[in-house]
Amino acid sequence: MDDINRSETGMARQSHKPNAVSGKEWWRGKVIYQIYPRSFMDSNGDGIGDLNGITGKLGYVADLGVEGIWISPFFTSPMKDFGYDVADYWDVDPVFGTLADFDRLVARAHELNLKVIIDQVYSHTSDQHPWFTESRESADSTKADWYVWHDPKPDGSPPNNWLSAFGGPAWTWDGRRRKYYLHNFLATQPDLNLHSVEVQDALIDVMRFWLERGVDGFRLDAINLGMHDPQLRDNPPVPADGGPIIKPYYMQQHKWNLSHDDMPAFLARLRSAANEYGAVYTVAEVGGVDVRPVQMAYTSEDRHLSSAYSFEFLSPVMPTAEQVFESLDPWPDDPQDGWPAWAFSNHDAERIANRWNGGEIDPAWARFMGLLLLSLRGNIFIYQGEELGLPQAQVPFEHLQDPEAIANWPNTMGRDGARTPLPWVSDHALGGFSSAEPWLPMDPQHLPLAVAEQEEDAESTLNWYRRLVRLRHDSKALLAGTIRFLDAPEGVLAFARELPDDAAADCIVGVFNLGNETVDWAPDADSAVVLMGVPALAANATAPRTLAPASGYLARCSAITHRTHPKAGQLQTDGEGSL
């Protein structure tokens, strides 16, 4: 049977009509909730979350008020990188369930008016994928150039100096082909050659398979790593600054192994195929440094992807008010010129509740960062557990699963601390996640923050997030309005969200003290009435003038007459420029 037509063992592939999403751009400005399947809910008592566990808890997600869910990989995989090493794009790994389980998940999500976005890993596969098995057999294979193979240098060393993000060279010698193959991550994750039209065609067929099963969009993992420099030029070193060396990967400027100029043409092909199925949401994960031109090229005009996000707000270092301004201001007001997406946490980054707060666990801090995130112009991703204010879990070395953490111990705690099971109840050591010992330990400090505990408390972080998401959902200005940054004191981020062409729409002003000093300041606004604030402010309170560190608010006003930020409009990036 042809790869593209495969389905569950012993079952014919199901036929589905194109998804019936409403509106050409239903996704613009909406909030998407990320689910990491292994750690969301275990329905069968094996200690690992699964698709049926997700389906059973979709009512909880819908109650948050979000527009959709993004599900991290659940495809057949040896799990060397926990699903981001795909061995079969067209099937569900048995640890997560079956295709029939996935179909029930989609049906239930749509009943609850939740869109379903799934991860697609197109830059690489598992070394156990049949494509790679065939590619490594012989240079005469029909898939010989589906991956990146190259001869060694005359001295037997790898073709160039490229490094793997997980440690060591980005090249591994294969005795069967007697060549090196490229892998930007683990040696068990060989890179696909997206320069090949045949590979592009195969991936477009994969996308169609899932669209026919009813999904509403895709998050494209590490997509700017999908094409490399065919000349295999060495990456230049990063200028030495005397800082600590966490791992060698950060000592290179990754100029030639990612963000190739030909990638937007492939993304346009993806978009064209997706358009056959209606309003499909596509968002690129773009890694690297100074990637804004790449993001804009990937989302420019009405023929590339819907949106893109990078690691700007996922780093260990908290951005200043000026850095947040510099990240958002270059995105143009014309939606045809690109649309951003923003996340403060995900499965690859330490949780925001204590990442930028000196390690302290403070519910007010979690709310402050949530208020800032959901006020930004673009799409918003909330990672599971952020709505509970969960701090980064402490995972002892002997329980680590993340290959990056194990390889770089103790310089990095890795990603496991953000991937521990979600606590549903507090009166059980496993938090109601499973009846068996989970794949990562439940952190005891998470139990008091369990869903059941917070649902009973009207002032909990969970119920606060529900009110915040509802506020954004009900505000045209926050969903799709422009963002105009205001001239504010150092450390203060202030902006107006407006719909200039809609006279009936209210203006929303956001003010956030990201500095370390108390500031006495307020923007010039007509009748600014606070909608939500941290610390909490009384309903219909007038916007305060005194702002302590880590305090802020959103206020409705009829007009903003305050001066615009002096650098506004000067940071525009040409999306058609060099990548």
Side-chain angles (χ1 to χ4, degrees):
M1 184 180 294
D2 184 88
D3 280 350
I4 305 304
N5 292 320
R6 285 181 298 149
S7 186
E8 294 179 276
T9 303
M11 295 180 64
R13 175 180 168 185
Q14 300 182 34
S15 176
H16 290 255
K17 294 181 179 179
N19 59 62
V21 294
S22 57
K24 180 182 178 183
E25 293 185 338
W26 57 265
W27 45 266
R28 190 172 292 279
K30 299 300 174 55
V31 180
I32 308 295
Y33 184 82
Q34 183 193 354
I35 293 176
Y36 192 70
R38 295 182 71 87
S39 301
F40 191 67
M41 182 66 193
D42 172 21
S43 71
N44 62 1
D46 65 356
I48 299 174
D50 46 49
L51 296 181
N52 287 334
I54 295 173
T55 302
K57 294 294 187 179
L58 283 177
Y60 165 78
V61 178
D63 285 346
L64 284 174
V66 299
E67 188 73 15
I69 55 174
W70 149 27
I71 310 175
S72 290
F74 50 84
F75 316 106
T76 305
S77 168
M79 301 296 168
K80 301 295 185 181
D81 193 21
F82 296 102
Y84 284 94
D85 50 328
V86 180
D88 187 344
Y89 284 111
W90 300 271
D91 209 351
V92 174
D93 193 276
V95 76
F96 295 126
T98 66
L99 278 171
D101 294 333
F102 179 76
D103 291 338
R104 283 190 290 271
L105 186 159
V106 172
R108 178 57 178 154
H110 287 170
E111 287 175 1
L112 294 168
N113 294 317
L114 290 171
K115 310 301 187 202
V116 178
I117 292 96
I118 64 173
D119 249 313
Q120 293 285 268
V121 188
Y122 290 164
S123 73
H124 56 271
T125 70
S126 164
D127 62 350
Q128 297 184 28
H129 196 291
W131 293 350
F132 187 71
T133 301
E134 183 175 346
S135 183
R136 78 193 313 181
E137 284 299 324
S138 166
D140 298 324
S141 162
T142 58
K143 293 183 173 60
D145 68 344
W146 281 39
Y147 293 82
V148 184
W149 297 94
H150 206 274
D151 293 324
K153 289 181 177 179
D155 63 0
S157 60
N160 61 22
N161 71 344
W162 297 354
L163 296 174
S164 162
F166 287 172
W171 298 94
T172 290
W173 174 258
D174 185 81
R176 277 157 283 195
R177 282 291 295 269
R178 287 182 290 182
K179 291 179 181 288
Y180 282 98
Y181 66 85
L182 177 67
H183 54 89
N184 279 290
F185 297 101
L186 296 174
T188 54
Q189 293 172 290
D191 271 41
L192 283 164
N193 177 20
L194 265 64
H195 290 289
S196 165
V197 175
E198 288 183 334
V199 174
Q200 293 184 19
D201 289 343
L203 294 174
I204 289 170
D205 283 337
V206 170
M207 184 185 70
R208 284 196 172 102
F209 175 86
W210 293 104
L211 286 169
E212 290 178 6
R213 299 200 90 86
V215 306
D216 305 300
F218 304 101
R219 181 256 192 189
L220 303 179
D221 179 73
I223 191 62
N224 63 321
L225 283 163
M227 288 186 182
H228 63 286
D229 170 35
Q231 298 180 49
L232 300 183
R233 284 168 280 192
D234 280 352
N235 281 329
V238 172
D241 61 1
I245 299 173
I246 297 176
K247 57 183 180 180
Y249 185 79
Y250 296 134
M251 298 173 70
Q252 281 187 5
Q253 299 178 51
H254 297 280
K255 181 177 181 179
W256 300 114
N257 63 312
L258 78 171
S259 301
H260 192 272
D261 288 347
D262 291 345
M263 182 58 76
F266 168 56
L267 300 181
R269 291 194 67 205
L270 284 178
R271 172 66 179 273
S272 178
N275 285 345
E276 299 170 15
Y277 295 82
V280 176
Y281 176 60
T282 50
V283 56
E285 179 199 37
V286 181
V289 179
D290 298 327
V291 295
R292 197 169 302 116
V294 183
Q295 293 176 271
M296 291 184 174
Y298 286 10
T299 60
S300 65
E301 305 172 3
D302 195 25
R303 61 188 183 91
H304 293 112
L305 303 182
S306 310
S307 188
Y309 83 98
S310 70
F311 292 80
E312 286 175 279
F313 299 141
L314 295 172
S315 74
V317 181
M318 179 176 170
T320 64
E322 192 69 9
Q323 288 168 335
V324 176
F325 159 73
E326 291 173 355
S327 293
L328 271 77
D329 188 66
W331 288 92
D333 289 334
D334 186 348
Q336 295 301 312
D337 290 333
W339 185 255
W342 308 107
F344 284 177
S345 297
N346 68 12
H347 62 289
D348 284 334
E350 186 178 348
R351 289 190 175 278
I352 196 64
N354 54 340
R355 182 168 86 238
W356 292 340
N357 195 32
E360 295 185 16
I361 301 171
D362 181 0
W365 174 262
R367 297 183 191 191
F368 174 68
M369 299 314 303
L371 187 67
L372 173 58
L373 176 63
L374 267 74
S375 67
L376 301 181
R377 178 179 179 269
N379 279 101
I380 306 300
F381 294 110
I382 297 176
Y383 179 52
Q384 65 182 47
E386 297 305 288
E387 76 282 6
L388 303 175
L390 296 185
Q392 183 80 348
Q394 300 301 309
V395 181
F397 178 80
E398 61 270 21
H399 290 292
L400 289 178
Q401 302 289 331
D402 176 19
E404 181 184 21
I406 295 169
N408 292 288
W409 179 269
N411 291 322
T412 172
M413 294 296 291
R415 302 169 294 178
D416 286 334
R419 298 178 175 184
T420 56
L422 202 65
W424 294 96
V425 299
S426 61
D427 58 356
H428 189 282
L430 304 182
F433 165 75
S434 177
S435 58
E437 194 66 30
W439 75 287
L440 280 173
M442 175 70 68
D443 192 324
Q445 67 179 338
H446 286 180
L447 293 177
L449 301 174
V451 171
E453 294 292 324
Q454 297 206 34
E455 285 190 322
E456 297 300 317
D457 179 3
E459 300 306 316
S460 68
T461 299
L462 171 60
N463 283 311
W464 184 88
Y465 255 92
R466 287 170 173 168
R467 293 192 293 273
L468 177 58
V469 174
R470 189 180 310 118
L471 170 63
R472 182 178 176 96
H473 184 274
D474 292 342
S475 170
K476 291 181 179 179
L478 290 178
L479 282 177
T482 60
I483 187 166
R484 178 165 62 91
F485 289 91
L486 310 179
D487 189 13
E490 183 178 358
V492 174
L493 180 75
F495 51 79
R497 301 294 314 278
E498 300 164 305
L499 284 173
D501 297 330
D502 188 347
D506 285 324
C507 159
I508 303 290
V509 62
V511 179
F512 300 87
N513 186 355
L514 299 174
N516 297 317
E517 304 291 336
T518 297
V519 176
D520 185 31
W521 179 86
D524 299 325
D526 292 339
S527 61
V529 176
V530 172
L531 297 166
M532 291 191 74
V534 177
L537 296 165
N540 299 318
T542 301
R545 288 198 60 87
T546 301
L547 289 169
S551 66
Y553 59 85
L554 291 175
R556 177 178 286 116
C557 51
S558 57
I560 290 284
T561 58
H562 199 88
R563 295 184 304 278
T564 299
H565 191 293
K567 295 182 182 177
Q570 299 176 25
L571 302 173
Q572 297 295 323
T573 304
D574 181 3
E576 297 301 319
S578 172
L579 304 188

